[in-house]
Amino acid sequence: MGDYKKILFSRDHAIKTVTFNRPQAHNALDREMSDELAEAVRAVKRDRDCRFLIFRGAGDTFCAGDDIKDFLTWTEDDPYWQARQISGNRADDRGPDADHHCRRRRGLHRGRP
């Protein structure tokens, strides 16, 4: 298993556990933590003996989502920003529309674009 700073990655027989370990930030995902999480998931994919993967959050919060402080530093040529656009989280050419995204996630979309 890799050398991680913001997640804890452990194994107990056929069970691997990923613990988001940024409790001071409610385990919000910044770039480094996102990269570590992606590497951990790839490691699980390669491990033929792993049968279960458990995700946990250190502290009182499981995961607050993207770290907004980090998110606001992304530029259009940033690979993280581009991944968001490719994955369809973009409302129009100006970038993601946070209100639209939140409405859709809360089920308040009601057919509006």
Side-chain angles (χ1 to χ4, degrees):
M1 291 186 272
D3 199 18
Y4 303 106
K5 296 178 183 175
K6 297 188 177 181
I7 67 170
L8 304 175
F9 191 38
S10 61
R11 181 178 185 157
D12 183 16
H13 303 289
I15 301 170
K16 284 193 175 181
T17 302
V18 172
T19 303
F20 303 129
N21 196 26
R22 292 186 69 215
Q24 74 285 0
H26 299 281
N27 298 314
L29 296 162
D30 63 4
R31 291 173 194 244
E32 185 177 16
M33 190 169 164
S34 294
D35 289 342
E36 289 180 10
L37 176 60
E39 174 54 37
V41 170
R42 284 191 292 272
V44 169
K45 183 178 178 181
R46 291 187 299 265
D47 185 350
R48 305 290 289 168
D49 295 325
C50 180
R51 296 292 176 247
F52 299 97
L53 175 59
I54 299 170
F55 292 96
R56 302 179 54 181
D60 295 332
T61 307
F62 169 68
C63 180
D66 282 331
D67 187 331
I68 298 300
K69 291 177 187 175
D70 189 53
F71 180 79
L72 293 175
T73 66
W74 300 355
T75 60
E76 288 186 20
D77 60 337
D78 192 308
Y80 287 87
W81 181 259
Q82 292 171 359
R84 293 293 195 273
Q85 292 180 355
I86 291 169
S87 69
N89 287 339
R90 181 174 80 150
D92 57 30
D93 290 336
R94 292 174 285 155
D97 179 338
D99 181 57
H100 172 77
H101 182 68
C102 290
R103 288 175 185 274
R104 188 176 57 202
R105 299 268 303 174
R106 288 181 295 194
L108 300 175
H109 186 262
R110 294 190 173 87
R112 291 188 302 236

